Amino acid sequence: MSQNDRRTRRRGEELINAIHAAVLEEVLEVGVGRLTMEGIGRRAATARTTLYRRWPDPIAVLLDALYHAHPVEEPTPGADDLRGDLIRSLQLMVKWTLSPAGRAVAAILTDPKGIEQVSDELVEQVFAQRGGTFTSTVLRHYAERGHFPASRITPVVADIGEALVVKRLLDGAPPTDADLADIVDQAILPAIGLADRLT
Amino acid sequence: MSQNDRRTRRRGEELINAIHAAVLEEVLEVGVGRLTMEGIGRRAATARTTLYRRWPDPIAVLLDALYHAHPVEEPTPGADDLRGDLIRSLQLMVKWTLSPAGRAVAAILTDPKGIEQVSDELVEQVFAQRGGTFTSTVLRHYAERGHFPASRITPVVADIGEALVVKRLLDGAPPTDADLADIVDQAILPAIGLADRLT
DNA sequence: GACTTTAGGTACACGACTGTAGCTTATCTG
DNA sequence: CAGATAAGCTACAGTCGTGTACCTAAAGTC
Protein backbone atom coordinates (compact mmCIF):
# COMPACT_ATOMS: atom_id res chain seq x y z
CA MET A 1 0.00 0.00 0.00
CA SER A 2 1.85 3.01 -1.15
CA GLN A 3 0.23 6.23 0.07
CA ASN A 4 -2.78 7.00 2.22
CA ASP A 5 -1.85 4.11 4.47
CA ARG A 6 -4.85 3.52 6.67
CA ARG A 7 -3.98 1.46 9.69
CA THR A 8 -7.26 -0.42 9.74
CA ARG A 9 -8.77 -2.24 6.80
CA ARG A 10 -12.53 -2.64 6.79
CA ARG A 11 -14.04 -5.99 5.91
CA GLY A 12 -17.39 -7.66 5.51
CA GLU A 13 -20.36 -5.95 7.02
CA GLU A 14 -18.52 -2.87 8.18
CA LEU A 15 -17.27 -2.21 4.70
CA ILE A 16 -20.61 -2.91 3.10
CA ASN A 17 -22.39 -0.55 5.44
CA ALA A 18 -19.96 2.17 4.48
CA ILE A 19 -20.60 1.50 0.80
CA HIS A 20 -24.35 1.51 1.33
CA ALA A 21 -24.12 4.86 3.08
CA ALA A 22 -21.88 6.17 0.33
CA VAL A 23 -24.20 5.22 -2.50
CA LEU A 24 -27.17 6.82 -0.78
CA GLU A 25 -25.25 10.05 -0.34
CA GLU A 26 -23.97 9.90 -3.87
CA VAL A 27 -27.36 9.45 -5.45
CA LEU A 28 -28.67 12.49 -3.62
CA GLU A 29 -25.86 14.57 -4.95
CA VAL A 30 -25.63 13.47 -8.56
CA GLY A 31 -28.92 11.69 -9.21
CA VAL A 32 -29.57 8.17 -10.42
CA GLY A 33 -28.45 8.94 -13.95
CA ARG A 34 -24.96 9.93 -12.93
CA LEU A 35 -24.21 7.24 -10.40
CA THR A 36 -20.79 5.75 -11.11
CA MET A 37 -18.66 3.08 -9.52
CA GLU A 38 -15.94 5.73 -9.40
CA GLY A 39 -18.06 8.11 -7.41
CA ILE A 40 -19.30 5.49 -4.98
CA GLY A 41 -15.82 4.13 -4.43
CA ARG A 42 -14.40 7.59 -3.95
CA ARG A 43 -17.02 8.47 -1.36
CA ALA A 44 -16.68 5.17 0.48
CA ALA A 45 -12.90 5.39 0.25
CA THR A 46 -12.62 1.98 -1.30
CA ALA A 47 -11.17 0.69 -4.54
CA ARG A 48 -13.39 0.17 -7.57
CA THR A 49 -12.25 -3.43 -7.72
CA THR A 50 -13.88 -4.07 -4.38
CA LEU A 51 -17.19 -2.81 -5.74
CA TYR A 52 -16.99 -4.91 -8.89
CA ARG A 53 -16.39 -8.02 -6.79
CA ARG A 54 -19.88 -7.67 -5.34
CA TRP A 55 -22.04 -5.70 -7.75
CA PRO A 56 -22.16 -5.49 -11.52
CA ASP A 57 -23.05 -1.80 -11.77
CA PRO A 58 -23.90 1.30 -9.72
CA ILE A 59 -27.64 0.71 -9.81
CA ALA A 60 -27.18 -2.69 -8.22
CA VAL A 61 -25.25 -1.06 -5.38
CA LEU A 62 -28.04 1.43 -4.89
CA LEU A 63 -30.77 -1.18 -4.87
CA ASP A 64 -28.82 -3.32 -2.46
CA ALA A 65 -28.47 -0.36 -0.15
CA LEU A 66 -32.20 0.27 -0.28
CA TYR A 67 -32.92 -3.39 0.29
CA HIS A 68 -30.95 -3.25 3.52
CA ALA A 69 -32.23 0.14 4.63
CA HIS A 70 -34.50 0.39 7.61
CA PRO A 71 -38.10 -0.31 6.64
CA VAL A 72 -40.81 2.28 6.70
CA GLU A 73 -42.45 2.77 10.06
CA GLU A 74 -46.14 1.91 10.01
CA PRO A 75 -48.72 4.25 11.45
CA THR A 76 -50.41 2.72 14.47
CA PRO A 77 -53.80 4.29 15.08
CA GLY A 78 -54.33 4.90 18.78
CA ALA A 79 -57.28 5.24 21.03
CA ASP A 80 -59.73 7.77 19.75
CA ASP A 81 -58.01 10.61 17.99
CA LEU A 82 -58.57 10.54 14.26
CA ARG A 83 -57.14 14.00 13.70
CA GLY A 84 -54.07 13.33 15.81
CA ASP A 85 -53.46 9.97 14.21
CA LEU A 86 -53.71 11.43 10.73
CA ILE A 87 -51.19 14.10 11.60
CA ARG A 88 -48.89 11.51 13.10
CA SER A 89 -49.15 9.30 10.02
CA LEU A 90 -48.13 12.24 7.84
CA GLN A 91 -45.27 12.98 10.21
CA LEU A 92 -44.07 9.43 9.67
CA MET A 93 -44.28 9.93 5.96
CA VAL A 94 -42.30 13.16 6.08
CA LYS A 95 -39.72 11.57 8.32
CA TRP A 96 -39.22 8.66 5.97
CA THR A 97 -39.21 10.82 2.87
CA LEU A 98 -36.45 13.00 4.27
CA SER A 99 -34.32 10.03 5.26
CA PRO A 100 -31.49 9.00 2.92
CA ALA A 101 -33.40 5.92 1.79
CA GLY A 102 -36.57 7.86 1.21
CA ARG A 103 -34.82 10.49 -0.84
CA ALA A 104 -33.05 7.80 -2.83
CA VAL A 105 -36.38 6.17 -3.63
CA ALA A 106 -37.66 9.54 -4.76
CA ALA A 107 -34.61 9.90 -6.97
CA ILE A 108 -35.35 6.56 -8.61
CA LEU A 109 -39.02 7.26 -9.06
CA THR A 110 -38.38 10.56 -10.79
CA ASP A 111 -35.53 9.34 -12.97
CA PRO A 112 -36.40 8.72 -16.62
CA LYS A 113 -34.88 5.27 -16.54
CA GLY A 114 -35.14 4.72 -12.82
CA ILE A 115 -38.04 2.38 -12.40
CA GLU A 116 -37.25 0.18 -15.38
CA GLN A 117 -34.06 -0.91 -13.70
CA VAL A 118 -35.69 -2.02 -10.51
CA SER A 119 -36.52 -5.69 -10.15
CA ASP A 120 -40.09 -6.58 -9.36
CA GLU A 121 -39.30 -8.10 -6.00
CA LEU A 122 -37.66 -4.94 -4.83
CA VAL A 123 -40.57 -2.90 -6.02
CA GLU A 124 -42.80 -4.99 -3.76
CA GLN A 125 -40.42 -4.83 -0.88
CA VAL A 126 -39.37 -1.23 -0.86
CA PHE A 127 -41.71 0.73 -3.01
CA ALA A 128 -45.08 -0.75 -2.24
CA GLN A 129 -45.51 1.34 0.87
CA ARG A 130 -45.04 4.61 -0.87
CA GLY A 131 -48.65 4.56 -2.08
CA GLY A 132 -51.54 5.50 0.12
CA THR A 133 -50.40 3.53 3.11
CA PHE A 134 -49.78 6.27 5.58
CA THR A 135 -53.13 7.97 5.95
CA SER A 136 -55.31 5.20 4.57
CA THR A 137 -54.27 2.84 7.36
CA VAL A 138 -55.57 5.38 9.81
CA LEU A 139 -58.67 6.15 7.79
CA ARG A 140 -59.66 2.51 7.50
CA HIS A 141 -59.19 2.03 11.22
CA TYR A 142 -61.61 4.80 12.13
CA ALA A 143 -64.09 3.98 9.39
CA GLU A 144 -64.34 0.45 10.77
CA ARG A 145 -65.22 1.95 14.13
CA GLY A 146 -68.02 3.98 12.65
CA HIS A 147 -66.50 7.44 12.82
CA PHE A 148 -67.46 7.96 9.18
CA PRO A 149 -68.71 5.79 6.31
CA ALA A 150 -66.02 3.60 4.77
CA SER A 151 -67.39 4.41 1.34
CA ARG A 152 -65.78 7.81 1.71
CA ILE A 153 -62.32 6.27 1.41
CA THR A 154 -62.04 6.48 -2.35
CA PRO A 155 -58.71 6.27 -4.14
CA VAL A 156 -58.69 10.04 -4.38
CA VAL A 157 -59.44 10.58 -0.72
CA ALA A 158 -56.84 8.04 0.35
CA ASP A 159 -54.22 10.02 -1.55
CA ILE A 160 -55.02 13.57 -0.47
CA GLY A 161 -52.61 13.72 2.44
CA GLU A 162 -49.71 12.04 0.68
CA ALA A 163 -50.28 14.12 -2.43
CA LEU A 164 -50.14 17.40 -0.56
CA VAL A 165 -47.03 16.35 1.31
CA VAL A 166 -45.36 15.34 -1.94
CA LYS A 167 -46.27 18.69 -3.45
CA ARG A 168 -44.66 20.55 -0.56
CA LEU A 169 -41.56 18.43 -0.82
CA LEU A 170 -41.30 19.02 -4.56
CA ASP A 171 -41.62 22.73 -3.91
CA GLY A 172 -38.55 22.37 -1.75
CA ALA A 173 -40.20 23.19 1.54
CA PRO A 174 -40.61 20.18 3.83
CA PRO A 175 -43.91 20.63 5.64
CA THR A 176 -43.86 21.61 9.29
CA ASP A 177 -46.17 20.05 11.84
CA ALA A 178 -48.42 23.06 11.47
CA ASP A 179 -48.59 22.48 7.72
CA LEU A 180 -49.53 18.87 8.32
CA ALA A 181 -52.28 19.93 10.69
CA ASP A 182 -53.60 22.29 8.01
CA ILE A 183 -53.59 19.48 5.49
CA VAL A 184 -55.60 17.29 7.82
CA ASP A 185 -58.04 20.02 8.84
CA GLN A 186 -58.52 21.69 5.49
CA ALA A 187 -58.33 18.78 3.07
CA ILE A 188 -58.62 15.30 4.55
CA LEU A 189 -61.29 15.80 7.20
CA PRO A 190 -63.61 17.77 4.89
CA ALA A 191 -63.23 15.04 2.27
CA ILE A 192 -64.51 12.37 4.64
CA GLY A 193 -67.34 14.60 5.74
CA LEU A 194 -65.88 15.60 9.08
CA ALA A 195 -65.37 19.29 8.53
CA ASP A 196 -64.58 20.36 12.05
CA ARG A 197 -63.19 23.65 10.97
CA LEU A 198 -64.48 26.70 12.81
CA THR A 199 -64.60 29.17 9.96
CA MET B 1 -19.53 17.20 -47.41
CA SER B 2 -18.31 13.71 -47.63
CA GLN B 3 -21.03 11.20 -46.82
CA ASN B 4 -24.62 11.57 -45.75
CA ASP B 5 -24.94 14.41 -48.18
CA ARG B 6 -28.14 16.16 -47.35
CA ARG B 7 -29.32 18.33 -50.18
CA THR B 8 -30.72 21.05 -47.95
CA ARG B 9 -28.81 22.73 -45.18
CA ARG B 10 -30.90 24.17 -42.38
CA ARG B 11 -30.17 27.65 -41.11
CA GLY B 12 -31.37 30.14 -38.57
CA GLU B 13 -34.75 29.57 -37.07
CA GLU B 14 -35.44 26.29 -38.79
CA LEU B 15 -32.26 24.83 -37.41
CA ILE B 16 -32.83 26.24 -33.97
CA ASN B 17 -36.32 24.84 -33.80
CA ALA B 18 -34.95 21.43 -34.66
CA ILE B 19 -32.37 21.76 -31.90
CA HIS B 20 -34.97 22.89 -29.39
CA ALA B 21 -37.13 19.90 -30.23
CA ALA B 22 -34.11 17.64 -29.99
CA VAL B 23 -33.07 18.81 -26.56
CA LEU B 24 -36.58 18.37 -25.20
CA GLU B 25 -36.71 14.83 -26.50
CA GLU B 26 -33.25 14.12 -25.23
CA VAL B 27 -33.93 15.29 -21.71
CA LEU B 28 -36.95 13.04 -21.49
CA GLU B 29 -34.90 10.07 -22.48
CA VAL B 30 -31.73 10.56 -20.50
CA GLY B 31 -32.64 13.10 -17.83
CA VAL B 32 -31.11 16.44 -17.04
CA GLY B 33 -28.02 14.93 -15.52
CA ARG B 34 -27.02 13.11 -18.66
CA LEU B 35 -27.68 15.79 -21.23
CA THR B 36 -24.69 16.14 -23.56
CA MET B 37 -23.87 18.26 -26.55
CA GLU B 38 -23.14 15.00 -28.34
CA GLY B 39 -26.58 13.61 -27.67
CA ILE B 40 -28.38 16.79 -28.63
CA GLY B 41 -26.38 17.15 -31.80
CA ARG B 42 -26.90 13.54 -32.74
CA ARG B 43 -30.63 13.83 -32.27
CA ALA B 44 -30.88 17.10 -34.14
CA ALA B 45 -28.57 15.78 -36.84
CA THR B 46 -26.25 18.71 -36.51
CA ALA B 47 -22.59 19.08 -35.70
CA ARG B 48 -21.45 19.79 -32.16
CA THR B 49 -19.61 22.84 -33.39
CA THR B 50 -22.90 24.38 -34.40
CA LEU B 51 -24.18 23.95 -30.87
CA TYR B 52 -21.07 25.45 -29.28
CA ARG B 53 -21.39 28.49 -31.52
CA ARG B 54 -24.63 29.36 -29.76
CA TRP B 55 -24.67 27.79 -26.30
CA PRO B 56 -21.95 27.12 -23.77
CA ASP B 57 -23.36 23.84 -22.43
CA PRO B 58 -26.30 21.42 -22.69
CA ILE B 59 -28.26 23.03 -19.87
CA ALA B 60 -28.22 26.34 -21.71
CA VAL B 61 -29.69 24.65 -24.76
CA LEU B 62 -32.43 23.15 -22.63
CA LEU B 63 -33.31 26.41 -20.92
CA ASP B 64 -33.34 28.23 -24.23
CA ALA B 65 -35.74 25.62 -25.59
CA LEU B 66 -38.03 26.08 -22.61
CA TYR B 67 -37.82 29.83 -22.93
CA HIS B 68 -39.13 29.56 -26.49
CA ALA B 69 -41.69 26.89 -25.77
CA HIS B 70 -45.35 27.71 -25.96
CA PRO B 71 -46.54 29.29 -22.75
CA VAL B 72 -48.94 27.62 -20.38
CA GLU B 73 -52.57 28.08 -21.28
CA GLU B 74 -54.46 29.97 -18.60
CA PRO B 75 -57.73 28.69 -17.26
CA THR B 76 -60.58 31.06 -18.15
CA PRO B 77 -63.49 30.66 -15.78
CA GLY B 78 -66.76 30.74 -17.68
CA ALA B 79 -70.30 31.60 -16.83
CA ASP B 80 -71.52 29.72 -13.85
CA ASP B 81 -70.02 26.30 -13.61
CA LEU B 82 -67.51 26.03 -10.79
CA ARG B 83 -67.27 22.26 -11.01
CA GLY B 84 -66.84 22.25 -14.78
CA ASP B 85 -64.28 25.04 -14.68
CA LEU B 86 -62.26 23.27 -12.02
CA ILE B 87 -62.20 20.12 -14.12
CA ARG B 88 -61.20 22.10 -17.18
CA SER B 89 -58.41 23.84 -15.30
CA LEU B 90 -57.03 20.46 -14.25
CA GLN B 91 -57.33 19.25 -17.83
CA LEU B 92 -55.19 22.19 -18.88
CA MET B 93 -52.66 21.26 -16.26
CA VAL B 94 -52.52 17.65 -17.39
CA LYS B 95 -52.20 18.71 -20.99
CA TRP B 96 -49.31 21.01 -20.25
CA THR B 97 -47.59 18.54 -17.94
CA LEU B 98 -47.65 15.86 -20.62
CA SER B 99 -46.27 18.21 -23.28
CA PRO B 100 -42.55 18.04 -24.03
CA ALA B 101 -41.94 21.36 -22.30
CA GLY B 102 -43.96 20.34 -19.27
CA ARG B 103 -42.12 17.08 -18.92
CA ALA B 104 -38.80 18.86 -19.34
CA VAL B 105 -39.71 21.25 -16.54
CA ALA B 106 -40.57 18.26 -14.38
CA ALA B 107 -37.22 16.73 -15.21
CA ILE B 108 -35.45 19.89 -14.07
CA LEU B 109 -37.48 20.23 -10.92
CA THR B 110 -36.74 16.68 -9.82
CA ASP B 111 -33.07 16.73 -10.74
CA PRO B 112 -30.68 17.07 -7.81
CA LYS B 113 -28.84 19.92 -9.47
CA GLY B 114 -31.61 21.03 -11.75
CA ILE B 115 -32.98 24.12 -10.13
CA GLU B 116 -29.65 25.58 -9.13
CA GLN B 117 -28.69 25.96 -12.75
CA VAL B 118 -31.76 27.90 -13.71
CA SER B 119 -31.48 31.66 -13.81
CA ASP B 120 -33.93 33.63 -11.76
CA GLU B 121 -35.57 35.30 -14.74
CA LEU B 122 -36.36 31.98 -16.29
CA VAL B 123 -37.79 30.71 -13.06
CA GLU B 124 -40.21 33.63 -13.12
CA GLN B 125 -41.01 33.19 -16.75
CA VAL B 126 -41.41 29.47 -17.08
CA PHE B 127 -41.71 27.96 -13.67
CA ALA B 128 -43.87 30.43 -11.80
CA GLN B 129 -47.06 29.04 -13.24
CA ARG B 130 -46.45 25.54 -12.06
CA GLY B 131 -47.65 26.44 -8.55
CA GLY B 132 -51.27 26.74 -7.64
CA THR B 133 -52.26 28.69 -10.70
CA PHE B 134 -54.57 26.25 -12.39
CA THR B 135 -57.32 25.67 -9.88
CA SER B 136 -56.75 28.75 -7.74
CA THR B 137 -57.52 31.07 -10.65
CA VAL B 138 -60.89 29.39 -10.91
CA LEU B 139 -61.43 29.29 -7.16
CA ARG B 140 -60.73 33.00 -6.75
CA HIS B 141 -63.10 33.82 -9.58
CA TYR B 142 -66.02 32.04 -7.96
CA ALA B 143 -65.18 33.17 -4.43
CA GLU B 144 -65.31 36.78 -5.62
CA ARG B 145 -68.79 36.09 -6.93
CA GLY B 146 -69.93 34.78 -3.59
CA HIS B 147 -70.20 31.08 -4.33
CA PHE B 148 -68.19 30.37 -1.20
CA PRO B 149 -66.12 32.38 1.30
CA ALA B 150 -62.74 33.45 -0.05
CA SER B 151 -61.21 32.60 3.32
CA ARG B 152 -61.53 28.97 2.32
CA ILE B 153 -58.82 29.40 -0.30
CA THR B 154 -55.90 28.60 1.97
CA PRO B 155 -52.53 27.54 0.59
CA VAL B 156 -53.45 23.94 1.26
CA VAL B 157 -56.81 24.15 -0.48
CA ALA B 158 -55.32 25.94 -3.47
CA ASP B 159 -52.93 23.03 -3.94
CA ILE B 160 -55.26 20.07 -3.54
CA GLY B 161 -56.08 19.61 -7.19
CA GLU B 162 -52.56 20.10 -8.48
CA ALA B 163 -51.16 17.87 -5.75
CA LEU B 164 -53.45 14.98 -6.62
CA VAL B 165 -52.70 15.33 -10.31
CA VAL B 166 -48.97 15.34 -9.61
CA LYS B 167 -49.36 12.24 -7.48
CA ARG B 168 -51.12 10.40 -10.30
CA LEU B 169 -48.46 11.48 -12.77
CA LEU B 170 -45.68 10.33 -10.47
CA ASP B 171 -47.44 6.99 -10.14
CA GLY B 172 -47.14 6.74 -13.90
CA ALA B 173 -50.85 6.91 -14.67
CA PRO B 174 -51.91 10.20 -16.24
CA PRO B 175 -55.35 11.00 -14.85
CA THR B 176 -58.35 10.56 -17.12
CA ASP B 177 -61.17 13.06 -17.24
CA ALA B 178 -63.12 10.82 -14.89
CA ASP B 179 -60.24 10.90 -12.43
CA LEU B 180 -60.18 14.68 -12.61
CA ALA B 181 -63.91 14.80 -11.91
CA ASP B 182 -63.36 12.58 -8.87
CA ILE B 183 -60.63 14.88 -7.65
CA VAL B 184 -62.91 17.87 -7.94
CA ASP B 185 -65.93 16.14 -6.38
CA GLN B 186 -64.19 14.25 -3.63
CA ALA B 187 -61.41 16.59 -2.61
CA ILE B 188 -61.67 20.17 -3.82
CA LEU B 189 -65.37 20.85 -3.46
CA PRO B 190 -65.58 19.37 0.06
CA ALA B 191 -62.60 21.46 1.08
CA ILE B 192 -64.34 24.68 0.14
CA GLY B 193 -67.50 23.56 1.86
CA LEU B 194 -69.45 22.67 -1.25
CA ALA B 195 -69.83 18.94 -0.74
CA ASP B 196 -72.33 18.22 -3.43
CA ARG B 197 -71.68 14.53 -3.31
CA LEU B 198 -74.71 12.32 -2.94
CA THR B 199 -73.32 9.67 -0.65
C1' DG C 1 2.95 -18.81 13.23
C1' DA C 2 1.21 -20.64 8.74
C1' DC C 3 -2.73 -20.30 5.79
C1' DT C 4 -6.89 -18.49 3.70
C1' DT C 5 -9.72 -14.82 2.56
C1' DT C 6 -10.45 -10.47 0.81
C1' DA C 7 -9.62 -5.35 0.75
C1' DG C 8 -6.45 -1.99 -1.17
C1' DG C 9 -3.79 -0.42 -4.95
C1' DT C 10 -1.78 -0.01 -9.79
C1' DA C 11 -2.09 -0.42 -14.61
C1' DC C 12 -4.20 -0.59 -18.99
C1' DA C 13 -7.06 -0.51 -23.14
C1' DC C 14 -11.48 1.11 -24.40
C1' DG C 15 -15.15 4.23 -25.18
C1' DA C 16 -17.88 8.62 -24.52
C1' DC C 17 -17.96 13.48 -24.19
C1' DT C 18 -15.46 17.94 -24.22
C1' DG C 19 -13.95 22.19 -26.24
C1' DT C 20 -11.31 24.13 -29.90
C1' DA C 21 -9.24 24.75 -34.53
C1' DG C 22 -9.54 24.76 -39.26
C1' DC C 23 -11.50 23.53 -43.51
C1' DT C 24 -15.36 23.16 -47.08
C1' DT C 25 -19.50 24.58 -49.00
C1' DA C 26 -24.55 25.65 -48.96
C1' DT C 27 -27.44 29.56 -48.36
C1' DC C 28 -28.54 34.20 -48.12
C1' DT C 29 -27.78 39.32 -49.35
C1' DG C 30 -26.85 43.17 -52.14
C1' DC D 1 -22.98 37.01 -59.84
C1' DA D 2 -19.72 38.13 -55.81
C1' DG D 3 -19.13 38.27 -51.22
C1' DA D 4 -20.61 37.43 -46.51
C1' DT D 5 -22.50 34.31 -43.34
C1' DA D 6 -22.98 30.27 -41.07
C1' DA D 7 -23.72 25.12 -41.23
C1' DG D 8 -21.46 20.72 -41.89
C1' DC D 9 -17.47 18.02 -41.22
C1' DT D 10 -12.93 16.28 -39.52
C1' DA D 11 -9.35 16.06 -36.31
C1' DC D 12 -7.23 16.23 -31.91
C1' DA D 13 -5.78 16.39 -27.15
C1' DG D 14 -7.75 16.08 -22.74
C1' DT D 15 -10.82 14.13 -19.07
C1' DC D 16 -13.59 10.71 -16.90
C1' DG D 17 -15.70 6.37 -16.22
C1' DT D 18 -15.41 1.26 -17.45
C1' DG D 19 -14.17 -3.44 -16.70
C1' DT D 20 -10.39 -6.51 -16.15
C1' DA D 21 -5.88 -8.37 -14.67
C1' DC D 22 -2.56 -8.71 -11.37
C1' DC D 23 -0.09 -7.81 -7.32
C1' DT D 24 0.24 -6.60 -1.99
C1' DA D 25 -0.84 -6.98 2.41
C1' DA D 26 -4.22 -6.72 6.28
C1' DA D 27 -7.74 -9.37 8.83
C1' DG D 28 -9.45 -13.49 10.21
C1' DT D 29 -8.89 -18.92 11.07
C1' DC D 30 -6.77 -22.96 12.54
Side-chain angles (χ1 to χ4, degrees):
Chain A
M1 221 143 295
S2 40
Q3 76 261 50
N4 195 5
D5 208 336
R6 184 199 302 262
R7 184 104 350 119
T8 86
R9 181 179 281 190
R10 295 163 302 177
R11 269 170 94 105
E13 206 165 330
E14 184 193 356
L15 175 64
I16 291 185
N17 288 338
I19 294 174
H20 283 167
V23 76
L24 291 180
E25 287 173 30
E26 187 77 3
V27 79
L28 293 191
E29 190 168 317
V30 303
V32 179
R34 270 183 170 163
L35 265 192
T36 62
M37 289 301 211
E38 270 282 314
I40 299 167
R42 213 183 297 129
R43 195 181 287 269
T46 194
R48 265 192 359 266
T49 44
T50 305
L51 297 176
Y52 281 113
R53 277 180 199 125
R54 269 177 232 269
W55 300 280
D57 56 70
I59 300 291
V61 187
L62 173 60
L63 296 182
D64 197 40
L66 287 178
Y67 193 86
H68 288 95
H70 289 186
V72 185
E73 254 179 276
E74 297 258 327
T76 53
D80 197 47
D81 181 14
L82 170 57
R83 179 177 183 275
D85 283 341
L86 283 173
I87 293 176
R88 275 185 287 278
S89 74
L90 289 181
Q91 284 169 339
L92 277 186
M93 178 189 176
V94 172
K95 184 179 159 195
W96 177 75
T97 314
L98 293 180
S99 73
R103 299 178 62 182
V105 168
I108 294 179
L109 289 175
T110 58
D111 188 87
K113 297 184 174 170
I115 308 178
E116 303 166 23
Q117 317 206 30
V118 182
S119 70
D120 289 345
E121 326 123 50
L122 198 84
V123 171
E124 303 268 320
Q125 176 119 2
V126 178
F127 294 73
Q129 292 107 330
R130 104 198 120 91
T133 295
F134 291 94
T135 53
S136 69
T137 301
V138 174
L139 290 174
R140 271 199 306 274
H141 179 266
Y142 284 92
E144 282 164 12
R145 277 157 188 74
H147 290 241
F148 62 93
S151 63
R152 291 273 188 160
I153 312 180
T154 63
V156 166
V157 170
D159 272 350
I160 293 179
E162 281 81 356
L164 282 163
V165 169
V166 166
K167 179 91 168 37
R168 289 284 179 282
L169 290 167
L170 277 179
D171 288 350
T176 64
D177 287 352
D179 293 331
L180 298 181
D182 285 347
I183 290 173
V184 170
D185 291 335
Q186 299 170 19
I188 303 181
L189 290 179
I192 58 176
L194 299 178
D196 58 17
R197 44 151 73 208
L198 320 168
T199 313
Chain B
M1 224 143 297
S2 41
Q3 75 261 51
N4 194 5
D5 209 335
R6 184 198 302 261
R7 182 106 347 121
T8 86
R9 177 180 284 189
R10 296 163 300 176
R11 268 171 94 103
E13 206 165 332
E14 184 194 357
L15 175 64
I16 291 184
N17 288 339
I19 294 174
H20 283 167
V23 78
L24 291 180
E25 288 173 30
E26 187 76 3
V27 79
L28 293 191
E29 192 169 314
V30 303
V32 179
R34 271 182 169 163
L35 267 190
T36 62
M37 289 301 212
E38 269 283 315
I40 298 166
R42 213 182 298 130
R43 194 180 287 269
T46 194
R48 266 192 358 265
T49 42
T50 306
L51 297 176
Y52 279 112
R53 278 178 197 126
R54 267 177 233 270
W55 299 280
D57 55 70
I59 299 291
V61 187
L62 173 61
L63 296 182
D64 196 41
L66 287 177
Y67 193 85
H68 287 95
H70 290 187
V72 185
E73 254 179 277
E74 296 260 329
T76 52
D80 197 47
D81 180 15
L82 169 56
R83 180 175 182 275
D85 283 340
L86 283 173
I87 294 176
R88 275 185 287 279
S89 74
L90 289 181
Q91 284 170 338
L92 277 185
M93 178 188 174
V94 172
K95 184 178 161 196
W96 177 75
T97 314
L98 294 179
S99 74
R103 299 177 64 183
V105 169
I108 294 179
L109 289 176
T110 58
D111 188 83
K113 297 185 175 170
I115 308 178
E116 303 166 22
Q117 317 206 29
V118 182
S119 70
D120 289 345
E121 325 123 50
L122 198 83
V123 170
E124 303 269 317
Q125 178 119 2
V126 177
F127 294 72
Q129 291 107 331
R130 106 199 120 91
T133 296
F134 291 94
T135 53
S136 70
T137 301
V138 175
L139 289 176
R140 270 198 306 275
H141 178 268
Y142 284 93
E144 282 164 11
R145 278 158 188 74
H147 290 241
F148 62 93
S151 64
R152 291 274 188 162
I153 312 180
T154 61
V156 167
V157 170
D159 272 348
I160 293 178
E162 282 80 356
L164 282 163
V165 169
V166 166
K167 179 89 167 39
R168 289 285 179 281
L169 291 167
L170 276 180
D171 288 350
T176 65
D177 287 353
D179 292 332
L180 297 182
D182 285 347
I183 289 173
V184 170
D185 291 335
Q186 298 169 21
I188 303 181
L189 290 179
I192 58 177
L194 298 179
D196 58 20
R197 42 152 71 207
L198 319 167
T199 311

